[in-house]
């Protein structure tokens, strides 16, 4: 081994929020294997095991080199016996039997297909699986009563399971920007979620909306949604007045200004303008750049082709009739008061594991409670203010990790 290699390894910190985790890394064969086991654990109500596999995968993603032998893992955190067994098998045989068995199992395949329906979680999928429902088509034939979200999920199943491209995310961004500026001039919109971390595709598009005059953002979501509905952009929407109070992660009694937090889960109807070039040339288009955001993703002018797609409707839904002119896209909108913007931005940029690690770090290492609204210091018994993500990292005693390094 190279001299110093072990020392370097010994310095890899154990919380994902202490490391940079890029999108592209050197250990995809290993992390793909661990991700299957993580996914399976999450689908079968083993959250703890799921997190353990996710942490191990995130550790490997953060390494600056490819792991070729077990000796290179000495001293690394986050790798339990089970993970080490999996890694050893993949390194020696190219595959791991547990991973392959899982990947091919009827239960895993069915639970994945069923949770691939918008509005269907792991618990519901598991219940249906036990009733012999293994595919969206089975579900449709079953005559089960479905809620509005699940009906939309079935109806747009193919579209919603086709990755959203950055070009499509940008097109949605221009629509949301128009809606927001129509109903509240001066409001600011920021691209969050995976696209802010630099991903090229996503399962949805996430936006955070705020207004510099605190209070002006109140009731904004309802107005934005009404505008979008009037323009026929929405196939589905569910607006939640205050997701914060329902969340399990926040402190039990949030300050009263919390109840303004608004969120909308939606499905957009995005024109695909088959064969037409969509050119972004608007210099005022700033939806991914916020004045508070000192590390914005540069929104350079770009020309993109939004290609037509094959109609691959598996379940014979009305998709065939519109396959060339529009597609359904999942979009999440969040409205935050200006004073909480940095917390919302940090909390909604992800990844989910990175967020979880930030909160774990805050509680266990700093006796603080971090949410997407506030940071509470239990020792000082007070909420700490921050005007940027950089300030939040500093308050947490962490080095700043830019969005592109949060792909844990
Ligand atoms: P997602 O949109 O589910 O994930 P993603 O954007 O990272 O990946 P994908 O490309 O597949 O869409 O979630 C975005 C972030 O929002 C994620 O870090 C978790 C966070 N978040 C919630 O999902 N729900 C919440 O209530 C809060 C506070 C944050
Ligand atoms: Mn390298
Ligand atoms: Mn997302
Ligand atoms: Mn989302």
């Amino acid at each position: 081994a190279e001299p110093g290699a072990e020392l370097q390894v010994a310095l890899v910190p154990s919380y994902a929020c202490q490391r940079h985790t890029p999108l592209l890394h050197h250990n995809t064969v290993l992390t793909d294997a661990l991700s299957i086991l993580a996914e399976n654990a999450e689908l079968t109500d083993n959250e703890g095991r799921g997190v353990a596999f996710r942490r191990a995968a995130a550790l490997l993603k953060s390494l600056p080199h490819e792991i070729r032998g077990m000796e290179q893992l000495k001293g690394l955190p986050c790798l339990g016996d089970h993970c080490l067994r999996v890694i050893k098998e993949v390194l020696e045989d190219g595959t791991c039997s547990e991973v392959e068995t899982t990947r091919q199992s009827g239960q895993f395949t069915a639970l994945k297909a069923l949770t691939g329906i918008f509005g269907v979680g792991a618990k519901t999928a598991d219940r249906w699986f036990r009733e012999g429902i293994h595919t969206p088509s089975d579900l449709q034939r079953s005559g089960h009563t479905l809620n509005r979200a699940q009906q939309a999920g079935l109806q747009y199943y193919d579209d919603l399971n086709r990755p959203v491209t950055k070009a499509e995310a940008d097109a949605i961004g221009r629509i949301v920007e128009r809606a927001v500026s129509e109903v509240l001039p001066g409001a600011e919109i920021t691209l969050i979620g995976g696209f802010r971390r630099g991903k090229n595709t996503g399962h949805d598009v996430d936006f955070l909306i705020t207004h510099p005059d605190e209070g002006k953002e109140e009731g904004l979501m309802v107005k934005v949604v009404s505008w979008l509905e009037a323009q026929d952009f929405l196939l589905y929407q569910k607006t939640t007045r205050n997701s914060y109070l329902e969340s399990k992660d926040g402190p039990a009694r949030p300050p009263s200004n919390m109840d303004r937090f608004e969120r909308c889960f939606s499905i957009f109807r995005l024109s695909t303008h088959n064969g037409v070039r969509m050119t972004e040339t608007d210099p005022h288009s700033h939806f991914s750049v916020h004045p508070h955001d000192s590390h914005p993703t540069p929104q350079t002018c770009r020309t993109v082709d939004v290609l037509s797609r094959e109609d691959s409707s598996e379940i014979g839904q009305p998709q065939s009739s519109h396959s060339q002119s529009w597609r359904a896209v999942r979009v999440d909108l969040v409205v935050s008061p200006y004073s909480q913007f940095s917390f919302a931005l940090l909390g909604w940029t992800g990844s989910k594991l990175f967020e979880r690690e930030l909160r774990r770090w805050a509680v266990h290492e700093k006796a603080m409670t971090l949410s997407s609204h506030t940071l509470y210091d239990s020792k000082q018994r007070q909420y700490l203010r921050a005007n940027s993500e950089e300030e939040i990292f500093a308050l947490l005693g962490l080095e700043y990790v830019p969005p592109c390094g949060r792909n844990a």
Side-chain angles (χ1 to χ4, degrees):
E2 279 174 58
E6 243 174 73
L7 179 64
Q8 210 178 346
V9 148
L11 292 175
V12 175
S14 68
Y15 288 85
C17 53
Q18 298 173 287
R19 309 184 298 248
H20 286 247
T21 310
L23 200 54
L24 299 174
H25 60 89
H26 307 279
N27 291 291
T28 45
V29 177
L30 296 175
T31 58
D32 285 351
L34 292 168
S35 298
I36 294 282
L37 299 183
E39 219 178 331
N40 188 54
E42 289 157 0
L43 287 169
T44 54
D45 204 21
N46 283 301
E47 205 199 348
R49 290 186 95 191
V51 172
F53 287 127
R54 296 259 175 234
R55 280 203 196 115
L59 182 279
L60 297 175
K61 289 178 193 176
S62 74
L63 297 177
H65 53 265
E66 184 187 352
I67 294 293
R68 291 167 187 275
M70 293 304 282
E71 70 285 354
Q72 289 174 277
L73 300 175
K74 222 183 282 169
L76 287 177
C78 309
L79 303 173
D81 290 344
H82 196 155
C83 291
L84 288 171
R85 240 168 33 232
V86 172
I87 294 168
K88 185 163 188 279
E89 219 181 303
V90 174
L91 289 177
E92 286 171 359
D93 309 340
T95 58
C96 163
S97 55
E98 185 189 357
V99 172
E100 295 318 308
T101 306
T102 302
R103 207 198 295 273
Q104 285 152 32
S105 88
Q107 187 189 27
F108 181 70
T109 315
L111 293 179
K112 260 195 81 126
L114 294 175
T115 54
I117 304 168
F118 173 63
V120 178
K123 285 219 171 77
T124 305
D126 185 62
R127 179 159 39 83
W128 287 339
F129 175 71
R130 287 165 202 276
E131 291 173 23
I133 296 168
H134 293 188
T135 65
S137 311
D138 290 348
L139 177 62
Q140 196 153 50
R141 281 191 297 266
S142 74
H144 268 289
T145 304
L146 304 176
N147 65 32
R148 226 164 41 83
Q150 294 162 345
Q151 286 170 31
L154 260 193
Q155 186 170 358
Y156 307 115
Y157 186 81
D158 290 343
D159 271 2
L160 299 185
N161 281 281
R162 180 177 307 114
V164 182
T165 65
K166 183 61 168 64
E168 288 166 336
D170 290 341
I172 298 277
R174 288 188 292 271
I175 296 167
V176 176
E177 198 175 58
R178 218 158 87 214
V180 167
S181 69
E182 288 282 335
V183 302
L184 182 62
E188 294 164 3
I189 118 167
T190 306
L191 183 62
I192 49 175
F195 285 110
R196 182 163 184 255
R197 300 196 308 274
K199 285 179 68 180
N200 293 320
T201 61
H203 96 282
D204 69 357
V205 196
D206 310 282
F207 295 100
L208 177 59
I209 307 166
T210 191
H211 193 287
D213 300 335
E214 183 107 357
K216 281 249 171 82
E217 81 292 344
E218 267 183 277
L220 178 56
M221 189 70 84
V222 172
K223 289 179 205 157
V224 169
V225 167
S226 301
W227 189 92
L228 291 167
E229 272 183 332
Q231 305 283 319
D232 209 17
F233 280 121
L234 294 185
L235 297 164
Y236 168 90
Q237 67 86 14
K238 184 173 197 277
T239 302
T240 310
R241 208 181 117 76
N242 180 2
S243 59
Y244 182 75
L245 291 173
E246 292 158 22
S247 114
K248 283 175 274 176
D249 302 316
R253 274 183 57 80
S256 58
N257 64 336
M258 294 306 164
D259 56 18
R260 291 195 222 135
F261 212 90
E262 297 179 303
R263 174 174 183 173
C264 177
F265 302 94
S266 72
I267 301 175
F268 267 55
R269 179 186 187 282
L270 179 66
S271 265
T272 43
H273 292 303
N274 189 25
V276 175
R277 270 179 179 268
M278 301 201 313
T279 309
E280 182 185 329
T281 52
D282 181 3
H284 304 296
S285 185
H286 63 275
F287 62 81
S288 73
V289 183
H290 185 277
H292 281 177
D293 192 355
S294 54
H295 292 265
T297 312
Q299 288 301 294
T300 49
C301 296
R302 54 165 57 83
T303 304
V304 293
D305 277 319
V306 177
L307 299 173
S308 64
R309 58 180 177 78
E310 299 293 304
D311 177 40
S312 58
S313 184
E314 281 167 29
I315 53 177
Q317 277 298 296
Q319 295 214 328
S320 54
S321 58
H322 66 251
S323 63
Q324 299 299 305
S325 64
W326 58 273
R327 66 160 293 182
V329 178
R330 271 273 299 115
V331 176
D332 283 339
L333 304 175
V334 189
V335 172
S336 140
Y338 206 62
S339 59
Q340 296 172 15
F341 176 82
S342 305
F343 294 101
L345 183 61
L346 180 60
W348 284 85
T349 295
S351 69
K352 285 192 184 88
L353 182 70
F354 192 90
E355 303 292 343
R356 178 187 271 272
E357 292 280 277
L358 272 176
R359 295 193 300 264
R360 191 168 68 95
W361 167 271
V363 170
H364 289 108
E365 308 297 330
K366 298 286 157 182
M368 294 180 183
T369 308
L370 175 69
S371 75
S372 38
H373 302 265
T374 53
L375 179 60
Y376 182 75
D377 186 324
S378 306
K379 287 189 206 136
Q380 296 183 52
R381 297 191 176 205
Q382 64 179 17
Y383 288 91
L384 306 179
R385 297 196 173 282
N387 287 313
S388 66
E389 287 183 320
E390 285 86 341
E391 282 181 42
I392 303 173
F393 278 89
L395 289 169
L396 287 168
L398 290 167
E399 270 177 48
Y400 180 68
V401 180
C404 63
R406 300 181 204 161
N407 287 290

